[in-house]
Amino acid sequence: MQGIKHIIFDLGGVILNIDYKLTEKAFTDLGVKNFSELYSQFNANPLFEDLETGRVENDAFVQAMKPYLPETAGPEAVIGAWNAMLLDFPVARLQLLQQLRQHYDLYLLSNTNAIHLAAFNAILEKTRGIPSLDVFFDKSYYSHQIGYRKPEKEAYQIILDENSLQPEQTLFIDDTLPNVEAARALGIQAIHLQPPKTILDIFRPE
């Protein structure tokens, strides 16, 4: 951490526990035959990419999913299945963020969408009594709000430019290798977080 003044965190798999297979199972249970082909973490269908970059509104996303679903599946079922991947915020990770913020500027950079944003903030409020994840960061950057998603270089550059950050003084942590490589290409220090390690291991005192 020598020379590091700013830390950019990924969300899913880093701060928030997620399981993509739960969403795949939920859509399969609803009657979608080929959800694994429509969406995966690394090869998203344009529909999901457009949702994550704000080019598709929530209602349009639900409508676009309808041809793949039986007529009995309503909007709430679609949204519930889409949110099934979102699990929990381990309290130790949230406490770590609070501790780190006393010494570093903290930012969040997440490939996400408006449906998930509302859902994971609801999880945080229900389980921890905190209404928004934004309270842990100097600023949060969500792909559907900024119009870019990792590993697009613009997603990182927006944070650097808006906050006058020097790349060499900035650490980025993500669980997806292409995202980490894209940050490094801009001169940002980066860590590829791989299970079973968590952010607690990164900042554990020697």
Side-chain angles (χ1 to χ4, degrees), residues 3-123:
I4 296 298
K5 297 181 179 180
H6 328 285
I7 307 174
I8 304 172
F9 286 92
D10 174 36
L11 176 58
V14 174
I15 298 169
L16 170 67
N17 282 331
I18 56 173
D19 186 345
Y20 292 95
K21 290 189 179 299
L22 292 179
T23 280
E24 181 178 343
K25 181 181 184 302
F27 274 111
T28 300
D29 291 347
L30 283 178
V32 178
K33 304 297 183 185
N34 59 338
F35 187 78
S36 61
E37 296 175 22
L38 289 173
Y39 178 87
S40 74
Q41 182 179 9
F42 301 105
N43 185 25
N45 178 287
L47 172 65
F48 301 107
E49 285 190 1
D50 288 346
L51 184 68
E52 283 195 341
T53 51
R55 293 191 290 265
V56 168
E57 298 292 334
N58 294 356
D59 291 344
F61 169 73
V62 171
Q63 288 299 315
M65 288 298 297
K66 289 190 73 173
Y68 303 98
L69 293 160
E71 292 183 3
T72 53
E76 289 185 1
V78 175
I79 290 173
W82 182 231
N83 288 337
M85 69 176 78
L86 308 175
L87 300 179
D88 66 305
F89 292 95
V91 67
R93 297 180 195 173
L94 300 179
Q95 290 172 338
L96 175 64
L97 292 176
Q98 291 175 320
Q99 294 165 5
L100 290 173
R101 201 170 178 197
Q102 298 175 29
H103 307 283
Y104 304 96
D105 302 320
L106 299 191
Y107 302 93
L108 182 70
L109 177 58
S110 175
N111 286 355
T112 192
N113 56 86
I115 296 172
H116 280 173
L117 175 60
F120 63 67
N121 276 331
I123 291 170

